[in-house]
Amino acid sequence: MRVRPIRIFVILVASLIPITLAAIFIFLTLYSWPAIQFNGVHFLFGRIWDLGNLYRNPVMVHGTSVPRGANYGILVFIVGTLATSFIALLLSLPISLLVAMFLAEGVPEQFRPALSLVVELLASVPSVVYGLWGYAVLIPFVANFLGPALASVAGFIPFFSGPVGSGYGLLTASLVLAIMTVPIITSTVYSGLIRVPREIKEATFALGATRFEVVRKVMLPSVRKNVIGAVILGLGRALGETMAVLMVSGGALNYLPGTIYSPITTMAAFIVSQLDSALQDPTGMAVHSLAEIALVLLMIAVLVNIVARALTGGQGHIAYG
Amino acid sequence: MASLTSRALQRRVYSAVSWVLCTFAFALVAFPLFDILAIVFRRGASAISPGLFTQVTNGISGGLLNAIEGTLVLSGGSLLFAVPIGVIAGIYLSEYGHGMFGKVVRFLCDVLTGVPSIVLGYFAYVTMVVELGWQFSALAGAITLAIMIVPYIARFSELELSQIPYSLREAGYALGMKERTVIAHILFPIAWPGILTGILLALAISVGETAPLIYTAGWSNYMWNGHLTKEPIGYLTYVIWSFINQPFASAHALAFAAAFLVVFTVLLINVGARLLVKRRRYFE
């Protein structure tokens, strides 16, 4: 067979994508290797992140030079990440399903483009602008209205009891993430719904079902896989979200959230917030440990995405990130 | 409707109430969008002044000229890398990517879009900024943004190219065209508006990105001096994040002005990209 230069050229360029992904994995692992050796399993289960005394001479621990008293545990950030993502999805899933059903069957066809544009534009708002909005609008709203209201209505449940605090914290971060995951879940479910074969809809109408029963009891169950995939895609987005969470979460260090109003930190937000302090560490162990957080986050995100793509077949949501 | 049984009535009421709930959910989703736009446009527009476009940031006041320039350099630079790679990868996926390797590339492309941007930023930090010794620089920032947007451009290009009927390619081959001629003279003229849409959407993403740039581009109060490495560069999204935390009104005004410029640009690009797709549909 003749060798076609054009084919070799496009294959080489296209392989840059897998190579980049592999490089991200390999270099993060290499760079965090000293931290992986020093921290061990304690990294995932320790609650205390302490850079140690950066002004005294480093000490040798297990043959590695680290600042005196340094201790790197990220359990607090793992809990913060999971808690915000979980609450966010709990809020955004039902809303997204309702919106997807509304767009697919609830509105006349000529209004659909305009209404789905709202959802698409919501996906295009940069995360730092969500953070700005959260700071300017959501935090006062949570501190002065939503928080006190929740605490007085559901305060008998320990997780919801006050004090409400400043508005920075788990609740606000979850609300912002909920809004950010709505477009992902909605568009994935919606693109599944509009692909449901016409015959199935017509058969259900012929049985005397109302329009809502058709979309709720026949169409939605038939795209169950899309729904699960959409939720996991949304999870991927929520887990890795950085700026919006950083700006509204309050940046807790070294303690686990006691109530829904507690300040928290997520892994992604913590990496950004720590750059300056970590650079002060002459041994570099803090920067290596941050790389280890990035590695953990990468592995979670890749795993979540593999599951999501496998379930949705990689369709219908390439425009959202 | 006198013959309606109570069960049928119940079902109708249930359906009607559910539709109201759906409409309410939509309103609940639309409200944040309009509120974000309203607050950014109201507080941002009032902070817009000619000085914004003629002065550099000075502490917590001054203008945004350095940040505007930086955003243009970083996003434009990222397109220089991402467009050729993304479009060619898209050609590969659409024209040759039906085997095992094509499936792997397509899948990893989707996985790469799901990698949190801060992870990309930290990867770029340890490789380019630290190990290669580029320090905070325009090149490191632009390459990081390029890694982020390549998969979008690739998948969009693939989608556009794969929608072209196979008979057009066969017609080209029947005339004795080479593969590269078919791609350049048959497929590309048809697919370019769609590919351009993908590129524009990717550009919008890069304009709004913050987290990876903090670790790669740094921040600078001055105009970019044209050095690709060892010279930090400013960008608009940094102003939003950093200045809103300052307790000064002038800093807040700058943050909202920057947000106004970013949101306005992103929306303009998004709407423009959609119009491009629509126009193409009419002419086909």
Side-chain angles (χ1 to χ4, degrees):
Chain A
M1 200 185 110
R2 232 176 73 226
V3 177
R4 297 197 166 93
I6 176 88
R7 291 197 181 182
I8 293 174
F9 176 65
V10 294
I11 286 181
L12 285 180
V13 173
S15 23
L16 284 174
I17 291 170
I19 289 171
T20 306
L21 201 60
I24 294 171
F25 191 78
I26 291 167
F27 282 106
L28 280 181
T29 311
L30 282 180
Y31 199 77
S32 58
W33 194 248
I36 294 174
Q37 282 187 315
F38 173 68
N39 294 323
V41 188
H42 176 73
F43 187 66
L44 296 177
F45 302 105
R47 284 191 197 186
I48 306 298
W49 178 279
D50 186 346
L51 295 178
N53 191 333
L54 303 179
Y55 301 103
R56 293 179 62 183
N57 288 333
V59 292
M60 296 297 281
V61 179
H62 307 309
T64 341
S65 165
V66 293
R68 197 177 292 271
N71 184 33
Y72 309 100
I74 62 166
L75 182 68
V76 171
F77 318 130
I78 294 179
V79 169
T81 307
L82 295 180
T84 44
S85 305
F86 177 74
I87 298 174
L89 289 174
L90 212 60
L91 295 170
S92 69
L93 176 63
I95 292 176
S96 303
L97 290 182
L98 290 173
V99 173
M101 292 193 290
F102 178 71
L103 292 176
E105 287 297 312
V107 293
E109 201 138 346
Q110 67 264 36
F111 295 133
R112 257 195 218 168
L115 293 179
S116 59
L117 185 67
V118 169
V119 177
E120 285 168 39
L121 288 183
L122 208 55
S124 72
V125 173
S127 72
V128 67
V129 175
Y130 275 111
L132 182 71
W133 181 73
Y135 169 87
V137 176
L138 220 46
I139 283 178
F141 173 72
V142 168
N144 301 323
F145 179 73
L146 187 64
L150 263 182
S152 69
V153 173
F156 59 92
I157 309 167
F159 198 53
F160 288 96
S161 63
V164 173
S166 60
Y168 289 90
L170 181 54
L171 179 60
T172 315
S174 306
L175 285 175
V176 173
L177 286 180
I179 298 168
M180 297 176 80
T181 48
V182 159
I184 297 171
I185 302 179
T186 304
S187 64
T188 310
V189 175
Y190 171 72
S191 69
L193 284 178
I194 56 175
R195 271 199 290 266
V196 171
R198 209 187 161 78
E199 294 76 15
I200 292 182
K201 286 199 275 180
E202 283 171 355
T204 320
F205 276 124
L207 289 172
T210 66
R211 186 171 278 273
F212 184 77
E213 286 168 342
V214 172
V215 60
R216 169 68 189 83
K217 297 193 170 152
V218 175
M219 292 169 71
L220 199 58
S222 76
V223 297
R224 205 184 298 116
K225 252 171 124 183
N226 289 51
V227 174
I228 300 169
V231 170
I232 300 172
L233 267 185
L235 179 67
R237 173 79 199 254
L239 289 172
E241 182 46 52
T242 311
M243 296 316 292
V245 173
L246 180 66
M247 291 167 82
V248 301
S249 64
L253 206 56
N254 300 346
Y255 72 91
L256 293 168
T259 71
I260 197 168
Y261 318 105
S262 306
I264 49 103
T265 308
T266 65
M267 288 189 272
F270 186 71
I271 295 175
V272 171
S273 69
Q274 279 296 298
L275 174 65
D276 289 339
S277 352
L279 286 181
Q280 309 290 322
D281 183 348
T283 66
M285 189 54 79
V287 182
H288 292 305
S289 294
L290 285 183
E292 197 179 348
I293 302 184
L295 186 65
V296 172
L297 193 56
L298 172 69
M299 292 200 284
I300 296 175
V302 166
L303 195 72
V304 161
N305 268 277
I306 286 176
V307 175
R309 305 289 170 181
L311 284 169
T312 56
Q315 287 169 331
H317 37 67
I318 57 165
Y320 308 108
Chain B
M1 288 289 176
S3 62
L4 271 181
T5 62
S6 72
R7 171 80 183 126
L9 188 69
Q10 207 182 344
R11 282 174 48 210
R12 279 177 192 221
V13 170
Y14 168 76
S15 292
V17 170
S18 301
W19 282 128
V20 171
L21 214 62
C22 283
T23 317
F24 177 73
F26 182 80
L28 206 62
V29 170
F31 175 75
L33 178 69
F34 290 116
D35 196 47
I36 289 169
L37 295 184
I39 189 165
V40 165
F41 278 59
R42 189 158 40 83
R43 292 190 58 176
S46 65
I48 295 279
S49 67
L52 222 51
F53 303 99
T54 55
Q55 295 168 14
V56 295
T57 341
N58 180 8
I60 45 126
S61 57
L64 290 173
L65 186 60
N66 52 329
I68 295 170
E69 184 202 37
T71 293
L72 291 177
V73 169
L74 289 168
S75 294
S78 73
L79 286 187
L80 285 184
F81 294 103
V83 168
I85 296 175
V87 172
I88 293 171
I91 291 173
Y92 167 73
L93 288 174
S94 151
E95 304 304 310
Y96 309 108
H98 305 293
M100 197 54 215
F101 186 65
K103 275 192 185 132
V104 169
V105 171
R106 191 174 294 114
F107 188 71
L108 292 182
C109 212
D110 288 345
V111 170
L112 190 56
T113 61
V115 173
S117 63
I118 183 63
V119 173
L120 292 181
Y122 209 85
F123 158 73
Y125 175 73
V126 300
T127 52
M128 290 182 258
V129 175
V130 176
E131 296 296 329
L132 289 178
W134 292 357
Q135 299 169 11
F136 291 142
S137 58
L139 190 59
I143 292 179
T144 311
L145 289 180
I147 296 174
M148 269 196 71
I149 62 177
V150 156
Y152 291 97
I153 299 179
R155 292 289 265 138
F156 234 97
S157 307
E158 182 203 357
L159 197 71
E160 286 304 316
L161 290 167
S162 60
Q163 279 169 357
I164 300 172
Y166 208 80
S167 53
L168 284 178
R169 296 175 179 83
E170 287 168 342
Y173 294 134
L175 291 172
M177 285 173 138
K178 288 190 153 77
E179 281 178 34
R180 62 164 184 270
T181 328
V182 169
I183 292 169
H185 292 281
I186 297 183
L187 302 184
F188 214 72
I190 301 174
W192 78 262
I195 294 176
L196 190 59
T197 302
I199 293 171
L200 285 175
L201 292 177
L203 177 65
I205 292 172
S206 78
V207 168
E209 197 49 65
T210 320
L213 292 178
I214 294 172
Y215 266 95
T216 53
W219 164 255
S220 163
N221 273 325
Y222 305 103
M223 296 300 286
W224 185 50
N225 62 3
H227 291 192
L228 288 176
T229 58
K230 310 206 171 181
E231 190 65 38
I233 186 167
Y235 42 94
L236 284 168
T237 45
Y238 180 91
V239 177
I240 306 176
W241 167 61
S242 163
F243 283 29
I244 200 69
N245 284 320
Q246 306 285 340
F248 306 104
S250 67
H252 284 199
L254 272 187
F256 274 102
F260 175 77
L261 294 177
V262 168
V263 171
F264 191 70
T265 311
V266 167
L267 283 189
L268 211 65
I269 294 173
N270 264 281
V271 173
R274 273 158 236 283
L275 290 180
L276 204 65
V277 176
K278 205 170 264 172
R279 208 191 61 156
R280 190 183 65 110
R281 289 208 184 113
Y282 287 142
F283 280 95
E284 243 178 21

